[in-house]
């Protein structure tokens, strides 16, 4: 009888432990913060709490920027990739040109294209990922000298970020043993050690931002093309932290994606998705208290801002957002941040056209464009909530 009671006691303990474990999992799942964006019920007064500052970039013969793809802030330096010329440039935080990191070419230390780049402060390195030839190039963070390069022929990726001695990749592979997850983790040699977020839909076409990973407050965040969830990533785990909900729009179902992929060539998938009414593109970036998202649906661009501390959101067309903030015109928002600000890219010539038409502008921006050269570099609008 004593042995039987002891046996029942052990079973009870195991049951309680299992229940506690299940409760912990439920508590973790409840840690996801949801933000609803609605054209009809957004908090327009939220914009009264938004500040906008502007970053100009010095224009020299060597610092012409055609299209800003990515911005990374490190100390007093802004590293900016020019997608039109496939260059990585460095500027001071006041906009003065410092120099170029590496150069285009096919030799050691040269790249043919820049898919993305990162700053590894712990190792005092700049990493540039060249997706054309699947290699990572490393440069010294202090003097921009070339250090080394490493080929990753088995990895098809859009971007990469370091986590200690590991590399976390946004995985664009559509076939093969590494094609089942959106994020893969490798060691420095390229051996896959972990993978996260299953791909339910695999095709040769991806919609959305090509660099859907970024760092905020020392943490790595990433998101996927067909699910409006933002994950916090590390070399051994992923967890959902933000869930974005768009009241008027939906992400495409797996059934719909499979349908259009079977009836269209990959080059036609975007048009099918764009004409469907589903979300055909979205991107997101955030600071500790400001989240910005861009959405394309029914052929139009929409923009949302969320104040993370209060949960309040505002959602409208990108054109209307530019008008509300006095920006004249927003070309696009960019993944990345400067300080506590999310970033929008502005073409000074487009803004000049709006000035001449009598549009109301932010006074600081008006002063910049009225005195700028016609060939000036793009202007970076830094958007944040005033109470920070």
């Amino acid at each position: 009888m004593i042995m039987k009671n002891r046996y029942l006691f052990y079973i009870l303990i195991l049951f309680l432990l299992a229940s506690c474990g299940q409760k912990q999992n439920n508590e973790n799942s409840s840690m996801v913060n949801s933000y609803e964006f609605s054209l009809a019920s957004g908090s327009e007064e939220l914009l009264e709490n938004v500040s906008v500052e502007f970053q100009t970039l010095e224009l020299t013969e060597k610092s012409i920027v055609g299209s800003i793809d990515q911005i990374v802030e490190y100390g007093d330096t802004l590293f900016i990739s020019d997608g039109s010329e496939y260059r990585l440039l460095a500027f001071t935080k006041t906009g003065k040109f410092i120099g170029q990191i590496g150069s285009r070419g096919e030799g050691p230390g040269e790249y043919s294209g820049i898919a993305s780049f990162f700053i590894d402060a712990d190792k005092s390195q700049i990493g540039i990922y060249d997706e054309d030839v699947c290699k990572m190039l490393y440069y010294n963070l202090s003097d921009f000298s070339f250090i080394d390069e490493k080929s990753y022929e088995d990895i098809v990726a859009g971007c990469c970020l370091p986590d200690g001695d590991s590399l976390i990749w946004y995985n664009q592979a559509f076939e093969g043993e590494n094609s089942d997850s959106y994020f893969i983790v490798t060691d420095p040699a390229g051996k896959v050690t972990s993978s996260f977020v299953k791909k339910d839909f695999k095709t040769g076409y991806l919609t959305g931002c090509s660099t859907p990973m970024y760092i905020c407050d020392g943490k790595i965040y990433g998101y996927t093309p067909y699910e409006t969830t933002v994950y916090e990533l590390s070399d051994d785990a992923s967890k959902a932290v933000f869930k974005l909900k768009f009241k008027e729009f939906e992400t495409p179902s797996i059934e719909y994606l499979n349908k259009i992929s079977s009836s269209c060539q990959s080059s036609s998938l975007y048009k099918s998705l764009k004409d469907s009414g589903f979300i055909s593109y979205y991107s997101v970036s955030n600071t500790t208290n400001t989240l910005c998202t861009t959405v394309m649906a029914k052929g139009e661009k929409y923009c949302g801002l969320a104040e993370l501390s209060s949960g309040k959101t505002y959602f409208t067309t990108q054109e209307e957002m530019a008008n509300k903030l006095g920006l004249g015109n927003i070309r696009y928002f960019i993944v990345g941040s400067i300080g506590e600000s999310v970033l929008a890219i502005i073409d000074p010539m487009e803004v000049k056209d709006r000035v001449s038409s009598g549009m109301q502008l932010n006074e600081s921006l008006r002063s910049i464009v009225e005195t700028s050269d016609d060939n000036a570099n793009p202007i970076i609008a830094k958007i944040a909530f005033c109470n920070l």
Side-chain angles (χ1 to χ4, degrees), residues 158-335:
C159 62
C160 176
L161 288 173
D163 185 30
D165 289 329
S166 299
L167 295 171
I168 303 178
W169 305 80
Y170 172 59
N171 182 29
Q172 292 184 343
F174 302 110
E175 55 187 21
E177 60 181 356
N178 296 331
S179 64
D180 290 337
S181 302
Y182 279 111
F183 304 104
I184 60 174
V185 182
T186 72
D187 63 16
K191 180 182 178 181
V192 177
T193 58
S194 303
S195 60
F196 307 112
V197 188
K198 180 183 176 183
K199 286 184 183 179
D200 291 320
F201 173 67
K202 294 189 290 185
T203 177
Y205 166 77
L206 282 177
T207 186
C209 179
S210 61
T211 55
M213 293 170 59
Y214 58 94
I215 295 176
C216 174
D217 199 25
K219 299 176 182 178
I220 297 175
Y221 294 87
Y223 55 95
T224 66
Y226 305 110
E227 180 194 18
T228 54
T229 300
V230 180
Y231 299 88
E232 183 183 324
L233 305 167
S234 67
D235 62 353
D236 62 355
S238 71
K239 63 178 180 179
V241 289
F242 302 131
K243 179 65 178 180
L244 311 186
K245 300 178 180 179
F246 300 94
K247 190 171 182 180
E248 288 83 6
F249 309 117
E250 295 181 352
T251 54
S253 66
I254 298 301
E255 292 75 18
Y256 179 77
L257 290 171
N258 284 327
K259 176 183 176 181
I260 62 173
S261 66
S262 64
S263 61
C264 303
Q265 298 296 318
S266 60
S267 59
S268 303
L269 289 176
Y270 174 71
K271 184 179 186 305
S272 297
L273 193 56
K274 180 175 70 70
D275 295 341
S276 69
F278 288 117
I279 293 174
S280 56
Y281 170 100
Y282 95 101
S283 67
V284 61
S285 62
N286 70 275
T287 67
T288 56
N289 195 40
T290 305
L291 183 144
C292 177
T293 181
T294 303
V295 169
M296 286 189 67
K298 300 180 180 179
E300 185 156 18
K301 293 181 181 179
Y302 298 85
C303 176
L305 289 175
E307 187 178 42
L308 300 182
S309 60
S310 67
K312 294 180 179 179
T313 63
Y314 181 68
F315 189 57
T316 187
T317 65
Q318 186 165 294
E319 181 179 2
E320 181 64 13
M321 181 68 76
N323 291 337
K324 293 286 187 181
L325 297 178
L327 302 181
N329 182 68
I330 295 174
R331 295 197 69 185
Y332 51 89
F333 284 85
I334 194 167
V335 175

Side-chain angles (χ1 to χ4, degrees), residues 12 15 49 85 92 143 156 193 292:
L12 178 61
F15 176 78
N49 197 32
E85 296 294 332
T92 68
D143 63 8
V156 182
T193 58
C292 177

